[in-house]
Amino acid sequence: MAKAKEQTNYKVIAENRKARHDYAIEYDVEVGIVLQGSEVKSLRVNSANIAESYAAVEDGELWLVNSYIAPYLPAKTWGHEDRRRRKLLAKNKELSRMWNDTQRKGMTIVPLVMYFNHKGLVKLKVGVAKGKQNHDKRADAAKADWQRQKARLLRHNG
């Protein structure tokens, strides 16, 4: 009963759907995000975009760059800048692993989904990924088509 109640508070704010198409994601990490009050209010009414954003490790800190959180109109005097850099909170072990992967292996850190967790806190799932070439994208599309066709055949014949 308690688990069912926890899952009801989970709410997706913004999702980067093109990330899985453009990148081969090696692993993902859940990180916190430092926000201002007006940003949280704005996120509660579903106005954010992380599709064009990326994360970067700079000076031992993780930053979310170019994410958009719409201005919250009732807080126009003490509002927030909509495309400011936002600090991400990760454990030191995860941070050093991400930094090593981006420096040595040529990978990037891509935001996948921003959501409210069951406690009502804003979290961001970031993936450490390598960019896909066009032929990789075509192969993935062909594989997905075959899986869809196979499921359709099994449904009609079974």
Side-chain angles (χ1 to χ4, degrees):
M1 181 81 178
K3 282 206 175 213
K5 185 167 176 35
E6 286 179 6
Q7 293 300 333
T8 58
N9 293 338
Y10 179 86
K11 180 182 174 187
V12 174
I13 301 165
E15 191 173 1
N16 188 355
R17 293 185 177 168
K18 281 195 89 169
R20 298 204 186 272
H21 182 292
D22 293 338
Y23 299 96
I25 295 167
E26 299 290 319
Y27 61 92
D28 55 10
V29 179
E30 181 185 68
V31 296
I33 183 168
V34 177
L35 297 172
Q36 296 176 352
S38 61
E39 291 174 325
V40 177
K41 294 269 192 180
S42 180
L43 290 175
R44 294 227 180 263
V45 293
N46 272 345
S47 46
N49 185 4
I50 58 171
E52 306 96 29
S53 62
Y54 64 95
V57 179
E58 297 171 8
D59 299 328
E61 295 178 333
L62 188 61
W63 293 91
L64 181 64
V65 182
N66 200 28
S67 64
Y68 174 77
I69 297 178
Y72 186 62
L73 295 180
K76 56 186 148 195
T77 307
W78 295 281
H80 62 276
E81 189 180 325
D82 55 359
R83 288 212 180 262
R84 73 177 181 91
R85 291 169 34 133
R86 294 170 177 89
K87 186 175 179 181
L88 299 178
L89 307 171
K91 294 183 179 177
N92 284 336
K93 187 177 181 180
E94 294 170 343
L95 189 62
S96 63
R97 182 177 175 201
M98 285 189 271
W99 186 82
N100 284 335
D101 288 345
T102 55
Q103 296 299 312
R104 294 193 184 130
K105 298 180 183 174
M107 300 178 127
T108 58
I109 304 171
V110 182
L112 300 174
V113 62
M114 182 185 286
Y115 58 92
F116 286 107
N117 68 357
H118 67 280
K119 292 182 181 178
L121 300 173
V122 178
K123 297 290 183 179
L124 184 73
K125 188 168 281 196
V126 295
V128 177
K130 196 171 203 73
K132 284 185 185 176
Q133 301 291 326
N134 279 337
H135 60 85
D136 294 332
K137 292 178 189 178
R138 283 193 294 269
D140 286 349
K143 185 177 178 184
D145 286 344
W146 168 242
Q147 293 296 333
R148 240 180 274 121
Q149 188 177 10
K150 186 168 69 172
R152 194 177 302 126
L153 288 172
L154 289 174
R155 221 175 317 134
H156 287 299
N157 293 340

